[in-house]
Amino acid sequence: MEKHLSEKFYLAMKKLEPRYPNKKALILPALHQAQEEYGWLPKEVLEEIGTYIGVHPAQIREVASFYTMYNLKPVGKNHLKICTNVACCLRGADELMNFAEKKLGIKCGETTSDGMFSLSEEECLGACTTAPAMMANDEYIEELDVNKLNHFIEKMKVLKI
Amino acid sequence: MRQNTLFEQHFWKDSNRSLDYYLQNMNGYQAAQKVLKEMNPDQVIEEVKKGNLRGRGGAGFPMGMKWGFIPKASEKPKYLVCNADESEPGTCKDRQIMRYTPHLLIEGLIIGSFAIGCKHSYIYIRGEYVNEAKLLNAAIEEAYEKGYLGKNILGSGFDLDITVHRGAGAYICGEETGLLNSLEGKRGEPRVKPPFPAVSGAFGCPTAVNNVESIANVPHLIRMGGDAFAQLGKIDKSGGTRLISLSGHVKKPGVYEIQAGSVTLRQIIEDIGGGIINDKKLKAVIPGGSSSPILTADEIDVVYDVEPLMKVGTMMGSAAIMVIHEDTDLVKLLLRITKFYAHESCGQCTPCREGCHWMESILHKILHGEAKPTDLDLLVDVAQNIGGKTLCALGDAAAGPVISFVKKFRPEFESYIKGQKRYA
């Protein structure tokens, strides 16, 4: 079988193996590590993780599909996840979401045609006292307002990253 | 009001998270030293019981008692699992502990592991806390290097490893058996109890699951002694201090520390939070995370602790206070809360899986002027048929807000149904 996951992936897993009483416990760490390499989790990658763990691929899909952070389809280079839960909502998250939709020309849940931006609604991020907040890929951006969000999107557009 | 805090004085400065700072300014690892060299596991558990340390994750269960449930005679490995899934909407206190005082958590895990006989402890951290997981791993590495973790800790003969395990975005993994399933590489679906984790938890072995703040309090408790720790609390049965996450329409939102039971909800909002933004009028308060039943502006002269809040029909939960001013549309807010539970229901129990969506759809109809007058009672009826009929507390958490919002703010819902108010 053709390998899709890197040497780095297998090295990271080797290091983690002794820290758990069985290999199945490595499913979440393996999914995280694989997503870090691919940006999302294609079918072949899920299958390869299944082979590595020693379970049927369906079991990997069953787990992966339970958790919102695992992307089972490709996402934009910049995945903006705006929290719209209570604390952020009280501090203007709806306005931010409307602004982001207009600015990017997509609806929440969609990706721009150039693959640069995806926009999602996020449940509580645990940044309630610095609300409203969002995540841009792995990074928290807190005490947001429309200006700050606009500035961030512009910066990402210019940098093309 | 908030001098000589156990946590807060060390927050908000990045350099405070280092081992050096911890050793020099926070009596770092002295409690672990004392425990490993001078105490036996039973004495540690007794001391924690004396300190009236209640769980800080939501249920408020006495921590010493929880540790006491771990069967000593069992030959299976035992696990101490730290619940760092912090996902109850409104809560962001554990995040500050992990960011600024990670060694307190590590030292607490050493003491707790010694008390219950654990050799490998896991910190289950919510997936979104990418940065906090990195900081924890860095602190754990420091601790290994200096001999606070690993084999023969401080020459005591006691061994302990700690592994940080990242979740991946699921509120239900804050529920302890959902968390344990997730740790084991499964979907985070809560388990049927009994057996309770103390008997069969992680990997089928005896397990104690404790919240970050609970564990981080243990070094303080051991250092000052159970009695002194208990006395920090100004109310029966609650020792120590509480970290509160104060958010919403206050002038100074933030994570603050109070002595348990020392202040009322009004004092927290007015004195600590600086009152309501733009000097608006207070309308309501969600006092303990979004699962806690709402309080009206007239109900806030209540001492902010577990039992007083229970007496007024709500709960302290994870001590996340969300303050709501007069301009807020509570129908819209309740729809947002209900949508959250519908999204996060794991789907195992029919009342929760179907009921949450049903409540969301009725609220959507009300907000958009499509509801019949009888729908409001139907909404409450659905909520009452979820509560108490599910494997875990998520069902109750979804039902409580609906029942309390409608009971206390019924006219707001009715004005939408009667067409007097329209969704903008």
Side-chain angles (χ1 to χ4, degrees), chain B residues 196-216:
Chain B
F196 289 95
V199 176
S200 180
F203 310 105
C205 298
T207 302
V209 184
N210 295 114
N211 164 267
V212 170
E213 185 189 346
S214 315
I215 294 170

Side-chain angles (χ1 to χ4, degrees), chain A residues 105-125:
Chain A
I106 52 172
K107 287 272 165 214
C108 177
E110 295 177 348
T111 301
T112 54
S113 54
D114 61 1
M116 280 292 288
F117 292 95
S118 289
L119 183 62
S120 304
E121 179 177 54
E122 191 67 40
E123 293 302 353
C124 185
L125 290 171

Side-chain angles (χ1 to χ4, degrees), chain A residues 19-20 28 32 62-63 66-70 84-86 90-91 94 121 123-126 128-129 140 142, chain B residues 90 92 95 122 126 128 144 162-163 165 167-169 182 186-188 247-250 332 336 339-340:
Chain A
R19 305 202 75 90
Y20 295 92
L28 265 68
H32 278 305
E62 184 202 25
V63 174
F66 186 83
Y67 300 93
T68 55
M69 284 179 74
Y70 296 132
T84 60
N85 208 301
V86 182
L90 293 172
R91 288 278 179 162
D94 287 356
E121 179 177 54
E123 293 302 353
C124 185
L125 290 171
C128 317
T129 57
Y140 273 64
E142 298 167 58
Chain B
C92 50
R95 186 174 169 216
Y122 294 94
R126 63 177 296 177
E128 291 84 354
Y144 269 108
I162 298 180
T163 299
H165 188 93
S182 185
K186 300 172 185 157
R187 293 163 72 87
S247 69
H249 296 144
V250 281
K332 203 176 146 198
R336 183 63 190 86
K339 192 176 152 195
F340 168 72

